[in-house]
Amino acid sequence: MNDNDTGALHAFLAGHGTDPNGRRIEDVIALTDAEIAASGDFDAWAFPLLAPCPLDDRAPFLDEDAAIAIRADDLALGNHARAASRMRSFYRDNDHWLTEEHYEHVRIRRIIGSISLLESSDAGWAFHRFVLARTVTSGNPVGSDALVEWNQAHRLIATGPAPRSSTLKGGVIGAFRRLVGVAA
């Protein structure tokens, strides 16, 4: 996480820590739909990835050790799944994101990638199928760029831009492959 303690992400997801705004994971899960729509500062904490967020250089990202620790912690994984379930409800109950282009499309890609990384590829694909079905039943308003990015989200977390080599030994690809048990 830049120069921050990567254990802070694990503590946040396990319910023992807070984000920079003093929120616990329970607070994030309890956000109203209006609060979710108006806020983009909880995504990197609730749905961390191995690569830095290109839109916010202060946002946390996982290092390999934190990702392994979170994957081994049933409480952290359970909270991560609960946050994903909350976002599923948000996307089910709101239509504002069903447009050609919308910032929610980037958030969806992050959620798919984080679920795939920390929970399982199957769970990531399930979230992907959910948002895709929601798009289709709404008359396919989402632009093709977002659809392609959602489809590639699992691959994008493995091949996205690598943080400085001092941050992740072996880069994002190697870390992801080790985490999910794929031969390098």
Side-chain angles (χ1 to χ4, degrees):
M1 268 183 347
N2 300 347
D3 295 324
N4 297 331
D5 175 15
T6 56
L9 276 171
H10 182 199
F12 175 78
L13 287 171
H16 308 301
T18 62
D19 70 8
N21 295 316
R23 293 177 297 211
R24 295 189 175 279
I25 186 67
E26 290 297 329
D27 301 323
V28 169
I29 293 168
L31 291 172
T32 67
D33 285 358
E35 290 168 328
I36 290 172
S39 176
D41 64 352
F42 68 87
D43 307 23
W45 284 86
F47 303 103
L49 295 173
L50 290 171
C53 176
L55 303 175
D56 182 358
D57 62 358
R58 296 175 303 135
F61 61 91
L62 292 168
D63 70 6
E64 193 172 344
D65 293 335
I68 290 168
I70 291 166
R71 285 175 57 114
D73 183 335
D74 290 340
L75 183 58
L77 280 181
N79 285 334
H80 188 264
R82 289 175 55 232
S85 178
R86 174 64 185 101
M87 293 308 295
R88 183 184 295 255
S89 296
F90 174 76
Y91 292 123
R92 182 193 62 229
D93 297 341
N94 294 279
D95 295 335
H96 70 278
W97 62 278
L98 292 164
T99 62
E100 177 76 19
E101 294 180 16
H102 200 279
Y103 67 87
E104 289 291 346
H105 300 169
V106 175
R107 184 183 288 180
I108 289 168
R109 185 181 85 180
R110 170 176 280 282
I111 293 168
I112 292 169
S114 186
I115 292 170
S116 296
L117 174 65
L118 294 176
E119 296 178 40
S120 72
S121 181
D122 288 344
W125 281 112
F127 194 91
H128 174 253
R129 285 190 302 273
F130 160 74
V131 292
L132 185 59
R134 182 77 169 86
T135 300
V136 169
T137 60
S138 298
N140 294 315
V142 174
S144 61
D145 288 348
L147 297 176
V148 167
E149 287 185 4
W150 298 349
N151 192 47
Q152 295 177 345
H154 312 281
R155 184 180 63 77
L156 289 174
I157 64 168
T159 60
R164 294 178 302 279
S165 60
S166 63
T167 306
L168 275 180
K169 300 174 216 119
V172 173
I173 295 171
F176 177 77
R177 288 182 174 167
R178 286 187 296 277
L179 286 169
V180 297
V182 175

